[in-house]
């Protein structure tokens, strides 16, 4: 069965899931279950992987970092690179939208890959219009 949607997760969603954040873990498990049932593809960027690895390395937990690296690869996740073409998306996003450089990198990787949904917990990004991304929704939306 082909994927229904390609869904990009912003870095914090992985942090909530990997660290079993008490306020978000139930929601993250629900989203993962829904995505699996729908046969969606989980996407993120190599930049997001780097951001997610910061916490384990700060805590001196290289084993946890290794588990994250092993999880965030096919077939579980499609990791999108920040290529020259994505850099062009980045420049346009930074020129046209009031977003941080790091948010623009996430959006650029997702836009270049043509994802259906960009899922985030950053309220400043929710509802932004970025060519190449069909929808940008908050973690609290009922989209999944």
């Amino acid at each position: 069965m082909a994927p229904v949607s390609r869904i990009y997760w912003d870095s914090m969603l992985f942090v909530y899931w990997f660290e079993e954040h008490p306020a978000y873990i139930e929601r993250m498990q629900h989203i993962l279950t829904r995505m699996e049932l729908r046969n969606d593809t989980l996407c993120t960027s190599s930049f997001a992987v780097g951001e997610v690895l910061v916490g384990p390395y700060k805590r001196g937990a290289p084993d946890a970092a290794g588990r994250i690296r092993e999880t965030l690869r096919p077939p579980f996740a499609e990791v999108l690179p920040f290529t020259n073409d994505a850099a062009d998306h980045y420049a346009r996003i930074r020129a046209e939208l009031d977003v941080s450089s790091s948010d623009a990198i996430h959006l650029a990787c997702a836009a270049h890959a043509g994802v259906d949904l960009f899922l985030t917990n950053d309220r400043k990004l929710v509802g932004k219009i970025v060519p190449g991304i069909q929808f940008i929704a908050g973690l609290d939306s009922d989209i999944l």
Side-chain angles (χ1 to χ4, degrees), residues 44-76:
T44 198
S45 66
S46 54
F47 179 67
V49 174
E51 287 188 312
V52 173
L53 291 172
V54 170
Y57 285 128
K58 273 188 175 181
R59 291 189 304 274
D63 290 347
R67 285 190 299 278
I68 290 168
R69 282 193 315 275
E70 285 299 311
T71 301
L72 296 182
R73 57 191 302 172
F76 181 75

Side-chain angles (χ1 to χ4, degrees), residues 40-118:
D40 293 328
T41 298
L42 174 60
C43 300
T44 198
S45 66
S46 54
F47 179 67
V49 174
E51 287 188 312
V52 173
L53 291 172
V54 170
Y57 285 128
K58 273 188 175 181
R59 291 189 304 274
D63 290 347
R67 285 190 299 278
I68 290 168
R69 282 193 315 275
E70 285 299 311
T71 301
L72 296 182
R73 57 191 302 172
F76 181 75
E78 178 184 352
V79 179
L80 309 172
F82 186 65
T83 62
N84 282 345
D85 290 335
D88 187 68
H89 282 274
Y90 167 85
R92 292 172 190 269
I93 290 166
R94 287 287 289 159
E96 298 169 6
L97 298 176
D98 182 26
V99 298
S100 69
S101 295
S102 58
D103 286 338
I105 292 171
H106 289 291
L107 292 167
C109 290
H112 178 63
V115 302
D116 300 298
L117 174 63
F118 184 101

